[in-house]
Amino acid sequence: MTSQQIRQTFLDFFESKKHTIVPSAPIVLKDDPTLMFSNSGMTQFKDFFLGYKEPKSVRVADTQKCLRVSGKHNDLDDVGKDTYHHTMFEMLGNWSFGDYFKKEAIDWAWELLTEVYKIPKDCLYVTIFEGDVKEGLTSDMEAFNYWKQHIDENRILLGNKKDNFWEMGDTGPCGPCSEIHVDIRSTDEKASIDGKTLVNQDHPQVIEVWNLVFMEFLRKADGSLEKLPKQNVDTGMGFERLCMVLQNKTSNYDTDVFTPLIKRVEELTGYKYGNNTATDIAFRVVVDHVRAVAFAIADGQLPSNSGAGYVIRRILRRATGYAYRLLNKKEPVLFELISVLKSQMGKFFPEIDQQEELITEVIKEEETGFLRTIEQGLVRLGSFIDSNPDLKVIPGDVVFELYDTYGFPSDLSRIIAEEKGLSVDELGFEEHMIKQKERSKSASTFKNYDWEILEDDSEEEFVGYDFLETHVKITRFRKVENKDGEFYQLVFQVTPFYAESGGQVGDIGYIENPNEKIEIINTRKENNLIVHIVKELPKYPEFPFNAVVDKKRREAITKNHSATHLLHEALREVLGTHVEQKGSYVGPEYLRFDFSHFSKLTNEEIFEVEKKVNMKIYERLDLDENRSVPFKKALEMGAMALFGEKYGDVVRVIKFGESVELCGGTHVKNTQDIIFFKIMSESSSSAGVRRIEAITGEVGINFLKEQTTQFYELRALLKNTDDPVKSVEKLINENEQLRKQAEILLKEKALNEKSNWLNSIVEINGINYLGLITDLNNAAIKDLVFQLKNEKENLFIIIGTKTDDKPTISVGISDDLVDKGLHAGKIVKELAREINGGGGGQPSYATAGGSNTSGLDNALQKSKQWLSN
């Protein structure tokens, strides 16, 4: 029988038993806050079992599209490695809502399998619930007695609560279940090992094919059970496994559910399925995952960066990664399989047929984007390896960042490492993965609904460089839910609103027409779409609107953005050309600019930078904007490409006098519009990176007013002294004396700590190791480290501390170990990754600062592991 005949036979059989045949529910769930996807056949019937709705028919049968890739039921990591796990699968099922119960369910299951499908009876085993003393449940003898009318008693096996008591969740309907297993091993194998010993033992040829669930209890919130007023039947039979049995195969992937797809992959890649274990896994991953992604897209879930869309993107990328690594496909391939999938399943699932073009284009676009990500990841990883010539082990955080931030497959990092004769810090990577899962679990929920398309407009034009007001039409919208409530995202065919990017915040404003006025509370860019965030959906979204940007706010933002360009130029002039932008924030109230520099700016340097920026403002430099410049030509014009930024073939160049930048943000027409520039703070962002925060325009003028007021208030506090500076210096000197007294007390405390440190030294591979976290300040730590280095040989010291929630690592190495090649500066630089920082120093003593205090323990553990290897 073909797979299509097998499916139809099941439905015809239960139709003959007076069941209503219903279509599959969508694989993507939109109205169930507990699930992203249908992960079992009963999902669409939950309201019936819970009593929320009355079924139109008490007997129902169907085949349900299911997806198990997240939460409790997550088969993703198993897919491809064996021959029977899948992400997307079909669940054949028959249902009784208070009608028939165990007898009919068992009788009909046996009839269908043995008389209709002709499965030999001596290949079958069944299980029943053995009971549970703690729950006060006895063995399901009712099911046993019905089964023994069909099958030898020695083939009726007892199953525990885990395998044979089905529950919907922590609460809700539940009950004992009876599984039907089939043994498809060879005659010799069956003679060698009794099949019943392999039931529920994950044997690939002794598998569960059907589960009959008898819902007769309700699990209450307190954990207790009570009888349901109606007894229900919920059965699920794995379609792909059933096809394997009926087509005499030993793998689901050898059935005609998958062979047409596998054949097409062979044609596209030149590889043959069945010749190599590694490539066979890739084949299975590709043909399985493309089904899952296609059906999800067909049901309205596009790949995205959050929620269900993120899961679909992850599945697609996993398949693309396997094709890239093991099937040598450097260009999109999955989209080529959709036509085959349509021919296989389009008749029974018309959504695949009707949306073939959409599915194909979405998958192709996603593949193309991810392949670019892979290439960029290869460059990033290669650059990291090349810049660390003494590297032996790629740190787990580096592999995790590539995976988490850039979507670069961790398996590919391992392969590259092996090719370079390196290894990967698997423990460190796994720790980051665990932390990520914990963060995801605790993070607030965020749900994107499907886009509502009002007008097919693939390109959205941004006109905000020239206009702050224009006529717009909403081309699509969707609802979004997060911890703050419900919002809507609107997309226009043209917009004056700048979307948050390049450090510049998004615009706000409103859209209006004679019928209504809707506030735009933010503007963001998502998948190259400019989305406008609103709290309420327009009553008539199909009507035209006038879009108006908050002019005053935008002008404040442009002042700050143009000022960052002048600031960058001034810093390079004052500090040197080593200065490069490392990050920025441009808002209406202030600007923040991070740049490479290794020391704190002096007051004179800050004053000089301020002076240069203000001089550019007073020079009234016109904006010289070039919107479409070839990238190479832009570099020739003097624009500097920033590391880590992605640029297209054509870029936008912004010039103010000698300042030349690649930039997509909004700017003043003339530098005089900035009015005034004032640096508010200069600080360390991280090791080797300084941060300046500054203000401009009206905010700057208000600041000067406040400062003047505060000056006179300070004089009043100091009894209207003629020399307030001298009076403040006196107070500072008095405070300094108190501070020195405190330092004496700290040194005394440090001396007391010395004996404790000595007692904490342990020997690792012949090296005296001291590693701990203390609350001493850095000066006291350094003093103690040098004392101990002079007193004990072969000493390796790592001390962690935190000040104002900022962690510091100090590494001290005795001179004899330095002579053997150990270098504190290099070691602390590596350990600093654990605290998201950097540092360095001399071979015998070095320090590093960072921002992640929770990483101090990891740094100590990493140093121990390093010495142990």
Side-chain angles (χ1 to χ4, degrees):
M1 299 175 73
T2 66
S3 57
Q4 294 188 16
Q5 291 171 332
I6 292 169
R7 183 192 294 113
Q8 193 61 52
T9 297
F10 176 89
L11 298 175
D12 290 344
F13 176 83
F14 280 101
E15 189 173 33
S16 73
K17 305 297 184 184
K18 297 182 170 46
H19 285 63
T20 299
I21 308 303
V22 299
S24 171
I27 203 169
V28 181
L29 300 177
K30 296 182 176 64
D31 54 0
D32 189 335
T34 65
L35 291 172
M36 291 182 182
F37 309 101
S38 292
N39 61 10
S40 65
M42 62 79 59
T43 303
Q44 68 167 311
F45 305 118
K46 280 179 65 174
D47 286 347
F48 299 153
F49 291 125
L50 291 170
Y52 298 157
K53 294 181 180 179
E54 285 295 324
K56 294 181 179 180
S57 174
V58 295
R59 296 185 181 186
V60 169
D62 74 341
T63 179
Q64 172 66 46
K65 302 171 292 185
C66 300
L67 195 61
R68 290 187 177 176
V69 289
S70 60
K72 178 182 177 182
H73 301 289
N74 186 351
D75 291 342
L76 182 59
D77 292 336
D78 294 320
V79 173
K81 298 175 183 178
D82 57 36
T83 60
Y84 52 89
H85 273 101
H86 303 288
T87 51
M88 181 266 173
F89 59 95
E90 287 184 60
M91 188 68 82
L92 303 170
N94 58 291
W95 317 83
S96 169
F97 308 116
D99 185 34
Y100 62 84
F101 200 46
K102 295 181 183 179
K103 183 181 188 308
E104 293 85 350
I106 290 172
D107 289 347
W108 291 337
W110 189 257
E111 179 185 352
L112 178 60
L113 292 179
T114 62
E115 297 180 22
V116 178
Y117 286 139
K118 306 296 184 183
I119 297 176
K121 298 177 182 180
D122 60 3
C123 291
L124 298 173
Y125 297 89
V126 299
T127 63
I128 64 165
F129 180 48
E130 67 182 5
D132 188 281
V133 175
K134 292 181 179 179
E135 296 278 9
L137 299 173
T138 60
S139 177
D140 190 358
M141 293 307 298
E142 182 182 6
F144 178 87
N145 290 329
Y146 288 134
W147 274 120
K148 73 179 184 179
Q149 297 176 19
H150 302 290
I151 190 171
D152 292 339
E153 291 186 22
N154 65 352
R155 288 179 173 270
I156 305 174
L157 311 177
L158 297 178
N160 59 25
K161 182 181 174 183
K162 175 180 178 293
D163 291 326
N164 283 86
F165 193 88
W166 190 91
E167 303 200 44
M168 181 184 296
D170 294 334
T171 61
C174 56
C177 62
S178 188
E179 300 171 336
I180 305 174
H181 295 255
V182 60
D183 184 353
I184 58 175
R185 294 176 300 151
S186 67
T187 302
D188 290 342
E189 288 176 307
K190 290 177 181 178
S192 175
I193 301 176
D194 192 345
K196 67 182 181 182
T197 66
L198 302 176
V199 169
N200 278 329
Q201 299 301 312
D202 291 328
H203 192 287
Q205 275 85 53
V206 182
I207 57 172
E208 173 195 341
V209 70
W210 206 346
N211 190 16
L212 316 179
V213 180
F214 310 120
M215 292 191 189
E216 53 183 316
F217 299 104
L218 177 70
R219 176 73 70 183
K220 301 178 71 175
D222 62 5
S224 63
L225 294 172
E226 67 177 31
K227 279 280 189 179
L228 288 170
K230 292 182 180 180
Q231 295 176 322
N232 305 306
V233 172
D234 161 11
T235 85
M237 177 156 57
F239 172 67
E240 292 79 10
R241 293 186 180 187
L242 178 62
C243 290
M244 177 179 70
V245 172
L246 298 182
Q247 294 180 3
N248 296 315
K249 305 296 183 182
T250 57
S251 164
N252 292 358
Y253 293 92
D254 291 336
T255 68
D256 69 348
V257 176
F258 292 98
T259 51
L261 292 168
I262 289 175
K263 181 180 179 181
R264 181 60 178 145
V265 175
E266 288 179 331
E267 295 170 353
L268 293 168
T269 65
Y271 287 82
K272 290 295 181 181
Y273 182 67
N275 289 345
N276 179 275
T277 300
T279 57
D280 284 356
I281 291 175
F283 269 95
R284 291 193 288 266
V285 168
V286 167
V287 299
D288 172 274
H289 288 12
V290 74
R291 288 166 22 110
V293 173
F295 275 98
I297 294 173
D299 282 343
Q301 183 56 67
L302 297 178
S304 70
N305 289 327
S306 62
Y310 173 74
V311 176
I312 300 305
R313 175 167 284 169
R314 184 183 172 206
I315 298 171
L316 197 157
R317 288 185 167 189
R318 185 172 188 257
T320 303
Y322 268 89
Y324 180 94
R325 292 189 291 109
L326 298 174
L327 300 179
N328 198 33
K329 289 303 293 182
K330 311 304 182 188
E331 63 277 345
V333 65
L334 271 70
F335 80 98
E336 300 271 16
L337 305 178
I338 303 306
S339 59
V340 178
L341 187 64
K342 184 191 76 169
S343 65
Q344 283 184 273
M345 307 185 74
K347 182 177 180 181
F348 201 85
F349 297 101
E351 62 269 27
I352 293 293
D353 184 25
Q354 295 167 1
Q355 301 195 58
E356 178 189 9
E357 183 177 357
L358 171 66
I359 296 167
T360 302
E361 290 303 314
V362 169
I363 291 178
K364 183 179 181 180
E365 182 178 337
E366 282 286 316
E367 286 188 276
T368 301
F370 185 53
L371 288 169
R372 283 198 300 266
T373 295
I374 289 178
E375 294 298 334
Q376 292 166 0
L378 289 172
V379 172
R380 288 180 180 274
L381 183 57
S383 175
F384 175 80
I385 293 172
D386 292 341
S387 63
N388 293 272
D390 298 329
L391 190 69
K392 300 297 182 185
V393 179
I394 299 178
D397 63 333
V398 173
V399 178
F400 176 77
E401 182 184 18
L402 285 169
Y403 167 79
D404 186 54
T405 304
Y406 304 104
F408 191 73
S410 59
D411 286 346
L412 194 51
S413 291
R414 295 183 183 95
I415 291 173
I416 300 301
E418 291 174 6
E419 291 176 351
K420 300 283 188 179
L422 307 173
S423 62
V424 167
D425 174 15
E426 298 290 353
L427 180 61
F429 174 73
E430 187 60 31
E431 287 176 352
H432 281 282
M433 290 295 292
I434 292 172
K435 290 178 181 178
Q436 180 204 48
K437 290 177 181 178
E438 292 174 349
R439 289 193 300 269
S440 298
K441 189 175 181 180
S442 62
S444 58
T445 57
F446 188 95
K447 182 178 181 181
N448 285 339
Y449 287 77
D450 294 330
W451 285 109
E452 294 288 338
I453 308 297
L454 300 180
E455 184 175 312
D456 189 9
D457 191 333
S458 59
E459 292 188 12
E460 183 181 17
E461 184 182 0
F462 173 65
V463 297
Y465 294 139
D466 304 308
F467 305 100
L468 296 181
E469 182 176 346
T470 192
H471 296 295
V472 303
K473 291 184 68 177
I474 300 173
T475 61
R476 64 175 67 189
F477 67 86
R478 69 176 176 186
K479 186 167 75 171
V480 174
E481 295 177 356
N482 60 31
K483 62 182 179 63
D484 297 320
E486 292 184 356
F487 300 88
Y488 292 88
Q489 295 180 341
L490 310 180
V491 177
F492 310 143
Q493 95 286 7
V494 60
T495 181
F497 288 85
Y498 181 85
E500 178 180 343
S501 60
Q504 179 175 328
V505 299
D507 281 334
I508 65 173
Y510 60 89
I511 57 172
E512 66 176 351
N513 60 25
N515 300 306
E516 54 190 329
K517 180 178 180 179
I518 303 294
E519 298 293 327
I520 305 292
I521 62 174
N522 202 357
T523 309
R524 295 187 182 128
K525 188 174 289 186
E526 186 171 312
N527 295 328
N528 293 322
L529 284 178
I530 297 175
V531 295
H532 309 78
I533 315 300
V534 298
K535 290 184 178 180
E536 59 178 319
L537 186 68
K539 295 178 182 178
Y540 306 101
E542 68 276 10
F543 284 14
F545 289 86
N546 192 47
V548 182
V549 174
D550 185 324
K551 181 180 179 181
K552 183 177 180 180
R553 182 175 181 273
R554 165 72 87 81
E555 288 178 345
I557 292 170
T558 60
K559 288 176 173 64
N560 284 332
H561 202 152
S562 297
T564 62
H565 287 212
L566 302 183
L567 172 61
H568 194 186
E569 180 190 17
L571 286 167
R572 288 172 64 84
E573 291 178 358
V574 173
L575 303 178
T577 55
H578 65 279
V579 170
E580 290 184 6
Q581 180 179 334
K582 294 299 181 184
S584 68
Y585 166 84
V586 179
E589 298 296 329
Y590 73 101
L591 66 91
R592 183 178 68 232
F593 191 79
D594 294 347
F595 57 97
S596 54
H597 191 59
F598 292 96
S599 61
K600 179 179 176 61
L601 271 67
T602 65
N603 289 336
E604 291 76 14
E605 288 171 333
I606 292 175
F607 177 78
E608 187 65 23
V609 170
E610 278 186 343
K611 178 181 176 182
K612 285 184 175 292
V613 173
N614 282 309
M615 289 303 296
K616 297 295 182 182
I617 293 172
Y618 303 150
E619 287 178 23
R620 301 181 180 182
L621 301 173
D622 287 328
L623 167 67
D624 183 0
E625 177 191 21
N626 298 271
R627 295 186 184 176
S628 299
V629 181
F631 180 69
K632 185 176 180 180
K633 182 179 179 181
L635 297 181
E636 293 173 353
M637 292 170 63
M640 182 170 57
L642 303 177
F643 176 79
E645 292 292 329
K646 181 181 177 182
Y647 300 101
D649 295 333
V650 177
V651 294
R652 181 169 175 255
V653 178
I654 297 295
K655 294 182 65 178
F656 287 109
E658 299 300 316
S659 169
V660 186
E661 302 250 359
L662 302 177
C663 182
T666 61
H667 291 275
V668 296
K669 299 300 182 183
N670 186 286
T671 58
Q672 70 173 341
D673 298 334
I674 300 173
I675 302 175
F676 174 72
F677 174 83
K678 174 64 181 174
I679 293 177
M680 300 298 292
S681 67
E682 189 276 337
S683 62
S684 172
S685 171
S686 60
V689 177
R690 307 300 300 177
R691 169 171 290 175
I692 281 178
E693 293 187 355
I695 54 177
T696 65
E698 185 177 343
V699 177
I701 293 173
N702 290 336
F703 170 76
L704 290 179
K705 178 182 177 182
E706 292 171 3
Q707 289 292 295
T708 302
T709 301
Q710 289 176 8
F711 174 76
Y712 287 110
E713 290 175 350
L714 178 60
R715 282 192 62 191
L717 288 173
L718 297 171
K719 309 302 183 182
N720 288 318
T721 177
D722 293 333
D723 194 346
V725 175
K726 186 175 181 179
S727 297
V728 171
E729 285 178 346
K730 180 181 178 182
L731 292 174
I732 292 174
N733 289 333
E734 292 172 353
N735 184 67
E736 178 67 14
Q737 293 300 317
L738 294 173
R739 187 188 65 79
K740 288 180 179 179
Q741 293 176 24
E743 282 187 353
I744 292 173
L745 293 175
L746 283 173
K747 286 184 178 180
E748 291 176 355
K749 180 181 178 181
L751 289 174
N752 293 331
E753 281 287 299
K754 182 177 179 180
S755 61
N756 294 331
W757 287 23
L758 285 169
N759 292 331
S760 299
I761 295 173
V762 296
E763 184 177 321
I764 301 177
N765 285 337
I767 294 177
N768 292 315
Y769 172 83
L770 172 61
L772 53 81
I773 297 175
T774 181
D775 59 358
L776 293 177
N777 62 27
N778 291 326
I781 291 171
K782 183 177 181 180
D783 185 50
L784 271 183
V785 168
F786 274 86
Q787 287 184 46
L788 293 179
K789 284 201 309 162
N790 293 331
E791 296 176 13
K792 201 167 185 65
E793 296 181 344
N794 290 328
L795 185 60
F796 181 105
I797 305 173
I798 171 174
I799 306 295
T801 188
K802 60 180 179 179
T803 304
D804 297 329
D805 290 328
K806 289 189 176 181
T808 302
I809 297 173
S810 301
V811 174
I813 298 176
S814 59
D815 291 340
D816 49 353
L817 291 181
V818 172
D819 293 339
K820 294 178 181 179
L822 296 187
H823 193 293
K826 293 180 180 179
I827 293 171
V828 82
K829 181 180 179 182
E830 184 68 25
L831 296 177
R833 298 180 186 278
E834 301 298 327
I835 58 172
N836 295 341
Q842 301 301 313
S844 62
Y845 184 77
T847 61
S851 59
N852 178 25
T853 58
S854 63
L856 287 174
D857 287 325
N858 291 340
L860 265 63
Q861 186 63 32
K862 191 172 183 178
S863 68
K864 275 187 177 182
Q865 293 172 353
W866 183 74
L867 291 178
S868 299
N869 292 333

